[in-house]
Amino acid sequence: MKFSHCDNDEKHLSLHDCIAERAYFENGKLGFEFNDGFWISPDHPESNLSNLVRTDFSKVEYTLEDGADYDVTIYIFKKNIFIKTIRIEWTIQELLNNINSGKYKLEFLYQYVDYSSRIIECELKLDKKPYRMECVIKISAPEVSYYWNNLCEDRPW
């Protein structure tokens, strides 16, 4: 799909509470697609609106430091039979398979950025118990690109 807008500056963009329903890893890039878009602030140069609004269908692409799967670490937190939380490491392929199969949706919550590294706190949402699983994704990516076509004035924060 072609997009009319691309921004590499995250200053006026947010993935908070945005849900990725498709993901991919190709040509050294990890990407997530959002049917319900992501947030753009009224201060963004492409916005002529007075409040924070969602975009239409959009995607975010992380250009990985070395372009390899070791640039991404994924931790899933689950309760075991003793009701203790355990941390399980997933590969990129496991994350992609679980999202693209429709088994899970990935909701972005918080992102912490330091130079070319970022830690993303998120949740995997599913249709049956436990309904949500905490997830942390660590990405070494010197560049991130946000793509969208339109701002949805009728979808403010």
Side-chain angles (χ1 to χ4, degrees), residues 3 6 15 22 36 61 67 94 106 123 157:
F3 291 93
C6 176
L15 297 177
R22 187 178 173 301
D36 287 332
E61 260 184 3
E94 286 174 296
L106 182 67
E123 284 186 339
W157 182 277

Side-chain angles (χ1 to χ4, degrees), residues 121-151:
E121 290 183 26
C122 43
E123 284 186 339
L124 288 167
K125 300 174 78 162
L126 51 157
D127 293 332
K128 58 184 179 180
K129 282 189 177 184
Y131 301 112
R132 296 174 175 266
M133 289 189 307
E134 187 179 339
C135 174
V136 172
I137 303 173
K138 296 178 180 183
I139 304 174
S140 293
E143 183 179 313
V144 60
S145 301
Y146 290 74
Y147 297 92
W148 76 96
N149 286 316
N150 301 297
L151 300 181

